[in-house]
Structure formats: structure tokens, C-alpha cells
Amino acid sequence: MDILTLLPFIVLIGAMFLMTRSAKKKQAAAAQMRSDMQPGTGVRTIGGMYATVKEVHDDTVLLEVAPGVHAIYAKNSIGAVLDDAEYNRIVHGDDEELDADGTVVPDDASSLTGESGADKADVAKIDLGKDETADEAGTEDAAAKDVKDSKGDGKADGEPEAK
């Protein structure tokens, strides 16, 4: 046989070898990560749920998904083992960078208005309750519409108006 006829087959076999080799490396790294799990570490499941490891068994892991709520998961369902800083940042919203800088961003725009506490007391409160006069007017309009509809203009509900 000629070497040129075998060359495509050799390239194909080489490519398949390289693909399986990288997949085996990823599987080995994931197995190592799962074997390094210890009680108290934060994890993310492959479904995207964050939890704390309570117990590690041969094929299963006991996770605390909320305070006092425990669930048993297969070890293969653990997508990532997180370090403490990353787990606290994601789950609890702790941001060490803000603590280091001392910069605090307010949750609302009250610091932008420039009003002090005394000025806020002078602002009139807005009543968001129902206005009884508008409610009575609305019932009168609805009653007038019912009377108009009851005259029977020859069309049923949902039919378009005749032009």
C-alpha cells in the first residue's frame, strides 16, 4: 500500500487519540476535585445549587442546602468545589474588596437628594389608598355601560363591530 492512502487514516486516529486524552484529563481532574471534598466546604452542583458539605461517603455526599435542610447527592452531581471566599461572596453576598476599600454604595438614591432627616419630615406623605369618590364614579360608568350593553345591539361578546 501507498503511504498517501494511509495518511488520512493516520490523521483520523491521531485526532481521536488527542480528543480522548483531553477528555480523560478532565475526568481525572473532576475525580480529584470530588475526592478533595471535606465537610464544611462549599460546593456547586451540576444543577447550579450552592450548598455546604456535611458528610462525604463512598458514592454520596450529604449537603446542607439551607440551615437545617439536608439532602443526599451523588458525588458525580458535584460540579465544583469552591473555596471559602468565593462561596461566601456568592451565597452570602460578602465582598471583601468593598471592605478593604471602605467604599459603601447605598441601596437607594437618598444620598443623592441632599435632604437631611429634618427635611424629610417636612415632605408631605402621599396617600396611596383608594379614593372613594373615584371609586363611586367608576361604578356609575360601569352601570351605564351595562345598560347600554343590555339594549342588545345585535352582536355577541367577542364579535367585531360592524362598519
Side-chain angles (χ1 to χ4, degrees):
M1 284 198 168
D2 191 17
I3 189 76
L4 290 177
T5 16
L6 292 176
L7 186 63
F9 294 114
I10 294 172
V11 170
L12 184 63
I13 291 171
M16 289 175 57
F17 174 75
L18 290 176
M19 286 190 288
T20 57
R21 185 174 160 211
S22 66
K24 284 182 182 179
K25 279 186 179 180
K26 288 180 184 179
Q27 286 178 348
Q32 179 65 32
M33 172 206 53
R34 290 182 185 116
S35 68
D36 290 344
M37 277 191 299
Q38 297 174 357
T41 59
V43 295
R44 183 183 65 236
T45 65
I46 58 174
M49 183 179 65
Y50 293 92
T52 305
V53 176
K54 288 297 177 183
E55 295 176 9
V56 179
H57 301 285
D58 292 336
D59 294 331
T60 60
V61 180
L62 180 68
L63 299 179
E64 184 176 30
V65 295
V69 179
H70 297 91
I72 298 175
Y73 280 82
K75 271 190 176 179
N76 293 339
S77 67
I78 304 301
V81 176
L82 308 171
D83 60 350
D84 291 336
E86 184 178 6
Y87 180 77
N88 288 333
R89 181 183 60 80
I90 293 170
V91 175
H92 303 295
D94 296 344
D95 197 2
E96 294 176 2
E97 293 175 6
L98 284 181
D99 295 341
D101 294 343
T103 306
V104 177
V105 178
D107 290 339
D108 58 358
S110 62
S111 64
L112 301 175
T113 59
E115 294 179 357
S116 65
D119 293 339
K120 290 180 184 178
D122 296 338
V123 176
K125 302 241 181 207
I126 299 173
D127 183 23
L128 298 176
K130 260 184 152 180
D131 187 13
E132 292 181 16
T133 57
D135 190 33
E136 290 172 4
T139 56
E140 290 172 4
D141 291 342
K145 184 178 179 184
D146 288 342
V147 170
K148 182 179 177 184
D149 288 344
S150 66
K151 289 181 181 178
D153 54 357
K155 66 177 179 127
D157 287 343
E159 290 182 7
E161 294 185 22
K163 292 185 180 180

